[in-house]
Amino acid sequence: MQDFWTNLLRWSTLANVIDILVVWYVVYRLIVLIRGTKAVQLLKGVFVIAVIKLVAVALHLQTVGYIIDLIITWSVPALVIIFQPEIRRGLEHLGRGSVLPWMRTDRHDVEERMVKELDKAIQYMSKRRIGALISIQQNTGLEDYIETGIPLDADVSGELLINIFIPNTPLHDGAVIIRDNRIAVAAAYLPLSESNLIPKELGTRHRAAVGISEVTDALTIVVSEETGGVTVTNNNHLIRDLTREDYLKLLTAQLVPAPEAKTNPVNSFFAELLHKGGTKR
């Protein structure tokens, strides 16, 4: 028994455990990063090719195996080109310190400021009945929809949001998408919901807000052009005619994390690792 524990506590065993945990975490972060993008469909294709290769080896199908080998050989540079947007986004996350837990900056103040700027814009547009559609990316990527808009990459400010949605301006028609606390694009197209549960009096903006909530976990804000009412959609839920107090409470709960305590970075890393491993998604 003593030999068993001695072997278990050897550095080589501990190194193997750390190696597996690090690889698991990196794979998990990559899956989160590409979720909701075209890369998911491409990965399914890669999985199919891998299955065909295994079947070809098992059944000794030499011609099929040779063709699959050629595809795999040439797919490496092709995948780098195809996945270029996702690779760039991953490097940007790494540069901003949003991938490694101990490199992250405190997001509380940044997102609290974003909620204040959203509130400023919502109040102005609601009182004047200026229609608006603002979608905020959360865990699921919105790359497919960001590609349909006009790039801005600007700080979130109430004044900019108001100017975007002023009627008869080039950017007012479509959605603003906020990613990583920045306005990624304006005039983006969101998928329209076909649900019969949406009230008939609600227009295209509301259908688009429900549509994006059906396929992603984005939080979407709609200001009605007819009534000035504020609606929020998230995870296929539509909440209409919110008061200022109600939508501020909702936005704060969804977008503003609790202030981060200063902890040991190594402890923080393994604490998050264990938390993620025990959370079902």
Side-chain angles (χ1 to χ4, degrees), residues 170 191 202:
L202 298 183

Side-chain angles (χ1 to χ4, degrees), residues 123-135:
Q123 283 296 300
Y124 183 96
M125 293 185 290
S126 177
K127 291 175 182 177
R128 292 160 180 79
R129 297 188 180 183
I130 298 172
L133 179 60
I134 304 169
S135 192

Side-chain angles (χ1 to χ4, degrees), residues 101-102 259-272:
W102 56 83
E260 295 178 3
K262 300 296 183 181
T263 58
N264 184 288
V266 176
N267 292 340
S268 299
F269 171 72
F270 284 106
E272 177 166 335

